[in-house]
Amino acid sequence: MPVTEPFYCIGVSYKKADAALRGRFSITSRSIPFLLEEAKGKGVRSLVISSTCNRTELYAQAPNAAVLIALLCKHSKGTEDDFNTAGITLEGTAAISHLFHVGTGLDSQILGDFEIISQLKKSFKVSKKNNMLSPFMERMFNAVIQ
């Protein structure tokens, strides 16, 4: 089946935001299922949420990036103004490349840090459990994990 929705990565990381600002965008493990459920109602087909001390990122097949930014802000203490100042929005191959760089530790404060891969695995499993993984994203995350 062809990919019909664009693939996005939106988020805030150590590259553009200090610890206090990153903290405002933190998503708790308790709120992730609510965010996933609301995303379904907004037309988001597939979504993986990664929230660590160095970054909070949403990887998704969605109608547009704006819906993802709104969800992130609603389910965190960050604002859209904060996001516009320090956030990133990547689409298509740029978003895919970013995910592979994150998963392999090339986009970490400590180059080669592999703790992020276990965090991505956990996020992947939560999305799968909540039926928020399309075949495209499941294959892509499996490739990153391997």
Side-chain angles (χ1 to χ4, degrees), residues 27 31-33 35-36 47-51 56-59 72 119-120 122-124 126-127 141:
I27 306 274
S31 64
I32 287 175
L35 195 159
L36 291 170
L47 174 61
V48 174
I49 303 157
S50 179
S51 189
T56 297
E57 292 181 338
L58 278 59
Y59 304 95
L72 174 60
Q119 295 161 335
L120 283 175
K122 182 179 175 186
S123 300
F124 170 84
V126 170
S127 292
F141 269 84

Side-chain angles (χ1 to χ4, degrees), residues 75-133:
H75 290 272
S76 71
K77 293 180 178 146
T79 66
E80 290 198 26
D81 285 341
D82 290 337
F83 186 87
N84 291 335
T85 300
I88 62 158
T89 301
L90 303 170
E91 183 178 354
T93 56
I96 293 167
S97 178
H98 177 75
L99 173 60
F100 275 86
H101 278 90
V102 168
T104 56
L106 294 174
D107 192 59
S108 296
Q109 280 187 300
I110 301 167
L111 187 62
D113 180 6
F114 287 106
E115 185 176 334
I116 188 70
I117 197 66
S118 64
Q119 295 161 335
L120 283 175
K121 281 183 190 178
K122 182 179 175 186
S123 300
F124 170 84
K125 288 178 183 177
V126 170
S127 292
K128 187 170 179 131
K129 178 181 173 187
N130 285 277
N131 297 315
M132 280 299 285
L133 274 180

